[in-house]
Amino acid sequence: MTSFQQARIDLGSQLRQLREAAHLSGKDLAERLRWQPSKVSRLENARQTATEDDVVVWAQAVNASPDTTDELIRQAIALLERHDDWKQRHRSGLAAIQEDVRDLEARTKLFRTFEPGIIAGLLQTSEYARHVFRKVKRLYSAADQIDAAVRVRMQRQEILYDRTRTFRFVVTEGALRTCLAPAEVMRGQLDRLLAVSTLPNVEFGVVPFTTELPSSPINGFWIYNEAMVAVATMTKDLILRDPDDIAFYVRAFDDYAKVAEFDEAGRDVIIRLLHDYRKQNPH
């Protein structure tokens, strides 16, 4: 067991002790916090990493002392700093990562994402996601939870139909042509994008190969509200909360969005790529 896993177990144990001392069941606490009951269980049993926000509201719900609350916050911040390391994250399992992301998305009203080489998880079909998770498992020697990870990723997508939220996706044509799955799976994935792009609260833009880019698309990134940016590298997820960093990525996203094709023009690009995939495998 790694020190990261042990620290997460220790924090979960402390949270459980505080809940029990307050004479609350897991269901009672979940209702107070307006969480799913499963989240209380995941945090207490170290199947999910508690965020600073998680431990603050937990401490408030169980009337923890200020000193106890401060210590929980310290532990949560330390865990999240180490949680960004992909080796640590994938030892916890693919499904656990998806649960972490789902909780972050639940707190977000405005999503902006740019992807140069992959379809964003919120837009993936189950077949495409399965192929992606297989590659992640091999690369990072992750725990074998592919079925569970696909299931949670599909559950995450329910948020797309919440019209109180806004989603802005920009991808390069390269992301749609990157074959992370067989041709028939890629065709199904593009069909999914055609459907999702018509949702009233979803903007989906494609930057064609023939368009001059405003900057080199080195990494994909997600902007959550105006509060945080996640930038994925091969070995770490960079979690940026500094206002200057956030402003930089907002400008970068806007630059890519300005040269992207949206609505019918964007769907025309996808349809053209669908024809190309059919030529590769016409059956």
Side-chain angles (χ1 to χ4, degrees):
M1 180 182 298
T2 66
S3 59
F4 171 81
Q5 290 169 311
Q6 185 60 58
R8 190 155 73 164
I9 289 171
D10 292 344
L11 178 56
S13 177
Q14 292 174 62
L15 293 174
R16 180 188 298 108
Q17 290 171 12
L18 287 170
R19 174 182 60 77
E20 292 173 347
H23 305 292
L24 293 173
S25 68
K27 182 178 180 182
D28 292 336
L29 180 60
E31 288 177 352
R32 285 194 182 188
L33 299 178
R34 297 182 181 178
W35 289 354
Q36 294 181 343
S38 61
K39 179 172 179 177
V40 173
S41 175
R42 292 196 306 270
L43 293 177
E44 290 185 348
N45 293 290
R47 296 197 305 273
Q48 182 174 338
T49 304
T51 66
E52 181 179 353
D53 289 341
D54 290 337
V55 299
V56 167
V57 296
W58 189 300
Q60 290 172 344
V62 300
N63 295 317
S65 70
D67 287 345
T68 298
T69 301
D70 289 344
E71 175 58 20
L72 292 174
I73 291 171
R74 185 195 65 76
Q75 292 181 50
I77 291 173
L79 268 175
L80 287 172
E81 287 175 351
R82 296 161 66 188
H83 179 267
D84 297 343
D85 184 287
W86 277 69
K87 290 180 182 178
Q88 298 285 15
R89 294 184 68 188
H90 286 91
R91 286 190 183 119
S92 302
L94 297 169
I97 296 172
Q98 294 303 301
E99 294 284 8
D100 285 343
V101 175
R102 180 163 65 169
D103 286 329
L104 174 58
E105 290 168 345
R107 302 192 297 273
T108 304
K109 290 293 186 180
L110 172 60
F111 297 76
R112 283 164 290 185
T113 180
F114 171 74
E115 289 288 4
I118 191 171
I119 309 300
L122 282 176
L123 304 177
Q124 292 178 7
T125 65
S126 58
E127 294 84 1
Y128 181 96
R130 188 172 301 278
H131 282 275
V132 169
F133 283 131
R134 285 174 181 163
K135 291 173 172 60
V136 170
K137 178 183 180 301
R138 180 193 61 79
L139 186 61
Y140 297 100
S141 301
D144 189 2
Q145 297 179 325
I146 291 175
D147 289 343
V150 170
R151 183 172 63 253
V152 178
R153 176 159 286 182
M154 295 304 102
Q155 292 169 349
R156 281 175 50 203
Q157 296 181 6
E158 295 172 5
I159 202 172
L160 291 171
Y161 303 96
D162 180 350
R163 295 194 181 186
T164 67
R165 304 174 195 270
T166 300
F167 301 85
R168 302 188 67 203
F169 299 96
V170 176
V171 301
T172 65
E173 182 175 335
L176 306 185
R177 288 188 179 275
T178 300
C179 291
L180 293 174
E184 64 271 17
V185 174
M186 296 301 298
R187 291 201 302 268
Q189 178 61 68
L190 294 183
D191 281 333
R192 167 68 173 161
L193 296 180
L194 288 175
V196 173
S197 69
T198 64
L199 293 175
N201 58 329
V202 173
E203 297 178 17
F204 186 81
V206 184
V207 182
F209 275 151
T210 54
T211 299
E212 181 179 349
L213 294 172
S215 60
S216 178
I218 299 172
N219 295 99
F221 56 88
W222 284 74
I223 308 171
Y224 297 90
N225 295 326
E226 303 289 343
M228 190 185 96
V229 179
V231 183
T233 73
M234 291 291 285
T235 56
K236 289 184 181 295
D237 268 355
L238 305 179
I239 305 300
L240 308 175
R241 295 184 176 88
D242 183 273
D244 289 341
D245 288 333
I246 294 170
F248 176 91
Y249 278 95
V250 168
R251 290 196 302 272
F253 178 87
D254 289 343
D255 284 346
Y256 286 117
K258 286 175 184 175
V259 299
E261 300 288 354
F262 288 89
D263 303 318
E264 289 304 319
R267 285 188 280 274
D268 286 344
V269 177
I270 297 173
I271 290 169
R272 173 166 54 80
L273 297 183
L274 268 171
H275 291 322
D276 290 346
Y277 277 116
R278 289 193 180 102
K279 292 176 185 176
Q280 294 178 32
N281 186 354
H283 301 296

